[in-house]
């Protein structure tokens, strides 16, 4: 038990560091999914150097769960990124951040001799709602194209169960609408591996690549293999159009559309096919039943099979084939058809609305009926009815198989899979394997019943989220008797369940604007709207501008923290001087706000106060702005 460690292990332990994930060029290191996204551009830069290319990287975006800590991780790794020519510049909001990434690819037609590098590769990041607001710039940038040694990955942080969002989110369909191939890693290691593939595809096909991340993957941690040459990239033999697929100037909208629809998507598919990014994980010569999944749903499917007692060897004996999809759109047809050949039925396991299922049905539609497998996913079959899918039913919810709302769990998948395997005769009634599966299902059911009993018998300690102790906005968000307020995005969203007469909310940057559509038809004369300073800097100033333009009677409570409190306390504006109360007051006065009052616990600090910007401009509090103590809030 006390034997000395081998010499090579002892020496390794002497030098081990938490920075290994960033400093190691080769080896294994423990990291989270977010930290893998920090390491990823370093690996790309090293790969380029190995083939004699001097490239640089650029990262921009806007924080939001589950990528809320990405910017902080990038700041902490600043020296490691700088050593690899990688620049991190957060965006004022997601849309402007995406525009900066478009700019990195526009260096493809920069003036001769002005480029310092052979190319600039980039990462955009944002939460699901940020993907939504970027669709315009995403479409334009994707049609314009990338550079041969640049490329862009757009990383979306999706919140499938609205854990920290005002709506459950799925970015796959927005990425698809913008024409981005969509990668969905299932592990920390795959964030690194598929990230390198995503850049290679982006360069080869001239498209931006989307990468979908969710909490269960990007916030998990694991030991990952670090090696810039770990991924063997194969560039397919594909006939490109005259002039290629990369960004150029001048260029016309219809020429861009033609390149995207006739060449770039098919070049991306050729890349997926050549690199076997979608592949069978379990297969045998006599398979009859297929299961196809990606990302978290793939991990849950593996767990469901294990929970049913169906290990890989048992699956092969029963004729169960499992297909793992790394690029969920566009779904590569040749590999998919190879997977489907010989099967009688395919179960599509994916969370939220159908992406893979609809593509699979389209690709198999024209097969002869005697060889075409049935495809099920969100809904079960109607017994003996092959007349159509769920849209042909008045209400298909009675035949739900794998729900589209919320998320999936291994237990949900296990029940659906067992039911279909029995229906198809893969688990013959009375067989030993069927008995084992039934026993495992009984265990799952017993666990769920026990949990239900526990929940029913244990008094629920309902403790709603509340403001942090000492937070001034615990009082700032109160309104005078007889008044009401509108909510928005930020910590103050919590006021909708507090005793604050606050109802309704908007998307980020729309705070208070619903009143523009209400006041002409209401007997109310005035309303309050809460707006955080982080949201103000992001896009909230435009909401105030809209209210001024409409001439409505509204009081904005601009809740000042000098930090984006909800996502980790990042500075507002990411500049040394922050975005001060004086700057905000100057801007609001210039916009035409009729009355501005500063309410604070320390009125004296504004006597003679001034603010000097990075550019050396000294700002003072505008004339006519009153400063009142917080105790006077109701009177104000």
């Amino acid at each position: 038990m006390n034997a000395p460690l081998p010499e090579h292990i002892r020496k390794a332990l002497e030098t081990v560091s938490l920075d290994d994930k960033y400093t190691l060029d080769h080896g294994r290191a423990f990291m989270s999914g977010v930290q893998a996204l920090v390491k990823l551009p370093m690996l790309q830069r090293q790969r380029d150097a190995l083939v004699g290319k001097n490239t640089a990287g650029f990262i921009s975006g806007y924080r939001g769960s589950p990528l809320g800590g990405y910017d902080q991780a990038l700041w902490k790794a600043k020296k490691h990124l700088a050593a690899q020519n990688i620049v991190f510049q957060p965006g004022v909001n997601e849309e402007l951040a995406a525009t900066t990434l478009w700019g990195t690819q526009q260096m493809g037609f920069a003036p001769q001799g002005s480029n310092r590098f052979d190319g600039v590769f980039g990462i955009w990041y944002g939460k699901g709602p940020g993907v939504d607001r970027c669709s315009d710039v995403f479409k334009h940038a994707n049609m314009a194209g990338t550079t041969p040694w640049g490329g862009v990955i757009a990383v979306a942080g999706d919140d499938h169960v609205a854990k920290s969002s005002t709506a459950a989110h799925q970015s796959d369909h927005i990425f698809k609408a913008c024409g981005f191939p969509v990668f969905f890693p299932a592990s920390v290691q795959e964030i690194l591996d598929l990230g390198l593939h995503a850049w290679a595809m982006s360069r080869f096909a001239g498209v931006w690549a989307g990468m979908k991340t969710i909490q269960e993957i990007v916030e998990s941690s694991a030991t990952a293999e670090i090696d810039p040459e770990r991924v063997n990239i194969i560039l397919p033999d594909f006939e490109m159009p005259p002039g290629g697929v990369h960004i150029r100037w001048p260029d016309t909208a219809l020429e861009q559309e033609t390149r995207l629809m006739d060449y770039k998507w098919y070049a991306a598919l050729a890349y997926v096919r050549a690199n076997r990014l979608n592949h069978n994980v379990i297969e045998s010569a006599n398979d009859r039943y297929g299961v196809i999944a990606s990302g978290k749903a793939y991990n849950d499917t593996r767990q469901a099979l294990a929970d049913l007692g169906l290990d890989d060897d048992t699956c092969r004996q029963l004729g169960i084939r499992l297909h793992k999809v790394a690029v969920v759109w566009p779904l590569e047809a040749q590999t998919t058809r190879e997977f489907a050949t010989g099967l009688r039925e395919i179960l599509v396991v994916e969370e939220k609305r159908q992406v893979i299922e609809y593509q699979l049905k389209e690709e198999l539609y024209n097969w002869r009926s005697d060889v075409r497998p049935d495809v099920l996913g969100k809904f079960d079959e109607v017994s003996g009815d092959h007349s159509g899918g769920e849209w042909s039913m008045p209400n298909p919810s009675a035949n739900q198989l794998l729900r589209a709302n919320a998320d999936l769990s291994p237990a949900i998948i296990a029940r659906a899979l067992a039911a279909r395997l029995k229906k198809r005769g893969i688990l013959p009634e009375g067989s030993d394997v069927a008995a084992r599966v039934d026993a495992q299902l009984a265990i799952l059911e017993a666990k769920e019943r026990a949990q239900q009993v526990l929940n029913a018998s244990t008094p629920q300690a309902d403790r709603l989220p509340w403001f942090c102790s000492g937070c001034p906005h615990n009082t700032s968000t109160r309104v005078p008797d007889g008044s009401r307020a509108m909510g928005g995005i930020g910590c103050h969203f919590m006021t909708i369940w507090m005793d604050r007469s606050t109802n309704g909310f908007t998307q980020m940057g729309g705070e208070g604007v619903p009143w523009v559509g209400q006041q002409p038809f209401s007997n109310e004369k005035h309303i309050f709207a809460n707006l955080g300073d982080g949201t103000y800097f992001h896009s909230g100033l435009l909401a105030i501008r809209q209210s001024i333009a409409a001439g409505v009677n509204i009081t904005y409570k601009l809740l000042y923290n000098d930090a984006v409190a909800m996502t980790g306390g990042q500075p507002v504006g990411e500049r040394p001087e922050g975005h001060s109360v004086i700057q905000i007051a100057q801007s609001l006065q210039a916009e035409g706000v009729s009355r501005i009052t500063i309410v604070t616990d320390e009125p004296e600090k504004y006597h003679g106060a001034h603010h000097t910007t990075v550019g050396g401009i000294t700002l003072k509090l505008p004339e006519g702005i009153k400063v009142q103590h917080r105790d006077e809030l109701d009177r104000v």
Side-chain angles (χ1 to χ4, degrees):
M1 291 178 65
N2 297 316
L5 291 171
E7 184 65 13
H8 70 285
I9 294 179
R10 186 184 64 78
K11 286 187 175 181
L13 290 175
E14 285 178 354
T15 59
V16 72
S17 164
L18 290 175
D19 276 349
D20 282 352
K21 54 186 170 285
Y22 301 141
T23 58
L24 285 179
D25 291 335
H26 297 81
R28 297 184 66 80
F30 187 76
M31 66 183 74
S32 68
V34 166
Q35 290 164 341
L37 287 171
V38 177
K39 180 64 176 180
L40 174 60
M42 302 183 204
L43 291 175
Q44 184 60 59
R45 158 70 180 169
Q46 291 170 323
R47 284 183 66 94
D48 292 341
L50 289 172
V51 295
K53 292 297 179 180
N54 181 26
T55 59
F58 186 80
I59 304 171
S60 189
Y62 193 84
R63 81 278 301 182
S65 179
L67 297 174
Y70 186 38
D71 53 1
Q72 293 173 317
L74 289 164
W75 277 317
K76 289 178 182 177
K78 184 177 180 179
K79 67 177 181 180
H80 305 297
L81 294 168
Q84 300 289 346
N85 299 331
I86 298 165
V87 174
F88 169 48
Q89 176 57 59
V92 169
N93 58 40
E94 298 90 346
E95 182 182 11
L96 296 177
T99 308
T100 66
L101 268 303
W102 187 8
T104 64
Q105 304 310 292
Q106 289 177 356
M107 295 183 76
F109 53 77
Q112 188 73 26
S114 65
N115 287 343
R116 296 167 49 207
F117 297 92
D118 295 323
V120 180
F121 54 87
I123 293 177
W124 174 94
Y125 66 92
K127 190 173 179 173
V131 175
D132 292 347
R133 72 179 294 132
C134 286
S135 59
D136 188 17
V137 62
F138 279 171
K139 288 178 181 178
H140 278 85
N142 193 41
M143 286 196 292
T146 62
T147 62
W149 291 98
V152 179
I153 305 173
V155 183
D158 271 351
D159 186 356
H160 281 188
V161 293
K163 180 180 178 182
S164 60
S165 310
T166 54
H169 234 279
Q170 179 187 18
S171 293
D172 314 47
H173 296 277
I174 297 294
F175 277 154
K176 174 186 173 183
C178 296
F180 289 14
V182 184
F183 288 74
F184 194 178
S187 67
V188 172
Q189 184 70 63
E190 286 192 0
I191 290 175
L192 296 175
D193 296 348
L194 293 182
L196 294 175
H197 275 298
W199 265 317
M201 176 196 284
S202 180
R203 293 171 170 184
F204 175 74
V207 293
W208 283 37
M211 178 179 284
K212 176 185 176 75
T213 65
I214 59 176
Q215 176 194 359
E216 290 83 353
I217 307 300
V218 78
E219 291 186 356
S220 67
S221 296
T223 300
E225 184 72 30
I226 296 174
D227 183 353
E229 297 182 281
R230 168 185 162 86
V231 175
N232 179 33
I233 288 174
I234 300 171
L235 296 183
D237 183 15
F238 183 84
E239 186 175 351
M240 295 294 184
V245 293
H246 295 110
I247 196 167
R248 79 280 312 266
W249 189 260
D251 203 5
T252 69
L254 291 182
E255 288 173 337
Q256 290 180 351
E257 183 184 53
T258 298
R259 283 199 305 275
L260 180 65
M261 293 187 173
D262 291 352
Y263 294 96
K264 291 163 70 169
W265 285 338
Y266 297 102
L269 285 167
Y271 184 93
V272 175
R273 183 165 56 251
N275 290 277
R276 303 293 293 179
L277 297 183
N278 305 336
H279 59 277
N280 291 340
V281 179
I282 303 174
E283 62 180 335
S284 69
N286 300 310
D287 292 338
R288 297 174 290 164
Y289 198 90
V291 182
I292 183 171
S294 67
K296 171 184 175 289
Y298 169 78
N299 295 338
D300 288 343
T301 299
R302 294 306 305 252
Q303 185 62 53
L305 289 168
D307 289 344
L308 292 173
L310 302 176
D311 58 22
D312 290 9
D313 288 339
T314 304
C315 286
R316 293 187 186 97
Q317 292 169 10
L318 295 173
I320 299 172
R321 185 179 299 167
L322 177 61
H323 191 68
K324 183 179 183 181
V325 178
V327 181
V328 299
W329 188 89
L331 188 63
E332 200 284 305
Q334 181 176 313
T335 310
T336 301
R337 289 172 179 172
E338 290 171 0
F339 156 68
T341 299
L343 301 178
R344 291 159 52 189
E345 180 174 297
I346 298 173
L347 180 65
V348 182
V349 184
E350 56 186 336
E351 289 194 338
K352 313 306 288 182
R353 289 165 50 206
Q354 300 94 317
V355 176
I356 296 174
E357 182 180 344
Y358 287 159
Q359 294 179 87
L360 181 61
K361 288 176 177 177
E362 180 180 6
E363 290 174 5
L364 303 182
Y365 181 81
N366 287 324
W367 279 21
R368 297 195 325 268
S369 59
D370 60 324
V371 296
R372 182 181 63 240
D374 290 339
V375 178
L376 299 176
K378 295 304 173 190
F379 298 96
D380 207 343
E381 65 179 339
V382 177
S383 183
D385 180 7
H386 288 260
S387 61
E390 64 270 19
W391 297 110
S392 65
M393 306 177 195
N395 185 351
S397 58
N399 292 301
Q400 190 178 76
L401 189 61
L402 293 169
R403 66 188 186 189
N405 61 299
D407 60 357
L408 298 177
S409 67
I412 292 173
I413 297 168
R415 281 194 290 268
L417 187 55
R420 293 311 308 169
L421 291 175
K422 290 179 180 179
K423 179 79 172 179
R424 282 294 184 173
I426 308 297
L427 299 176
E429 188 174 351
S431 66
D432 289 344
V433 67
R436 290 199 302 271
V437 167
D438 286 340
Q440 292 299 115
L441 284 173
I443 292 172
L444 291 175
E445 296 290 345
K447 286 181 179 179
E448 290 194 353
R449 285 196 301 271
Q451 186 62 46
Q452 290 170 357
V453 170
L454 179 65
N455 291 341
S457 61
T458 304
Q460 294 295 303
D462 289 330
R463 186 179 184 276
L464 289 171
W466 212 263
F467 287 108
C468 298
S469 178
C471 177
H473 305 316
N474 193 25
T475 55
S476 299
T477 52
R478 298 181 185 276
V479 297
D481 290 342
S483 300
R484 70 179 178 99
M486 290 181 172
I489 303 303
C491 296
H492 57 88
F493 181 83
M494 296 184 293
T495 58
I496 65 175
W497 57 72
M498 296 178 181
D499 53 344
R500 306 294 158 91
S501 299
T502 302
N503 50 61
F505 64 91
T506 70
Q507 82 284 5
M508 193 172 188
E511 285 78 0
V513 175
W515 182 234
V516 174
Q518 294 176 18
Q519 190 176 46
F521 314 104
S522 174
N523 291 321
E524 287 183 286
K525 302 300 182 184
H526 172 267
I527 200 168
F528 291 93
N530 296 320
L531 175 64
D533 59 337
T535 298
Y536 169 86
F537 190 79
H538 173 279
S539 54
L541 175 59
L542 294 177
I544 296 174
R545 183 178 295 168
Q546 173 65 73
S547 295
I548 294 170
V552 295
N553 188 13
I554 184 171
T555 297
Y556 278 91
K557 289 189 174 184
L558 213 164
L559 309 172
Y560 186 79
N561 287 326
D562 195 25
V564 186
M566 193 168 61
T567 58
Q570 296 93 334
V572 174
E574 285 82 25
R575 296 177 68 171
E577 82 274 20
H579 198 64
S580 70
V581 170
I582 293 176
Q583 283 177 296
I584 294 172
Q586 289 272 1
S587 297
L588 293 177
Q589 187 180 66
E591 289 287 342
V593 174
S594 60
R595 180 185 172 194
I596 303 171
T597 302
I598 297 172
V599 179
T600 174
D601 290 321
E602 303 172 285
E604 63 278 3
K605 74 179 182 181
Y606 288 98
H607 296 158
H610 66 276
H611 174 97
T612 303
T613 68
V614 167
I617 299 173
T618 299
L619 302 176
K620 295 183 179 180
L621 205 60
E623 294 291 332
I625 293 182
K626 293 184 178 180
V627 180
Q628 302 283 355
H629 195 279
R630 188 179 303 278
D631 293 343
E632 301 295 317
L633 179 61
D634 269 8
R635 185 182 62 79
V636 170

